[in-house]
Amino acid sequence: MAIFLFLILVAIILGLIGVVAEGLMFLLVIGIIVLVVDVVFYAVRWIRRGRSRPLR
């Protein structure tokens, strides 16, 4: 969970720098990509963990 929150923070910071600084729009794109990959990774982990396992 800490890695998830850290990557969200990194994505926000990269996005802000990309918007504010001229000529650094690629940082905004990298921030968006990091955000999307992080959310997809977390969703996959959440779905896998939610499955019920049969009792022995």
Side-chain angles (χ1 to χ4, degrees):
M1 186 64 157
I3 293 174
F4 175 74
L5 294 175
F6 175 72
L7 287 175
I8 294 285
L9 184 64
V10 167
I12 291 171
I13 290 171
L14 286 175
L16 287 174
I17 292 172
V19 169
V20 172
E22 264 184 56
L24 294 178
M25 225 24 181
F26 67 93
L27 287 179
L28 176 62
V29 174
I30 292 172
I32 292 171
I33 292 171
V34 168
L35 179 66
V36 169
V37 169
D38 190 36
V39 169
V40 168
F41 177 73
Y42 187 72
V44 167
R45 282 187 56 194
W46 184 63
I47 289 172
R48 284 187 181 180
R49 190 176 293 178
R51 292 183 187 165
S52 62
R53 297 191 174 115
L55 298 173
R56 292 191 199 194

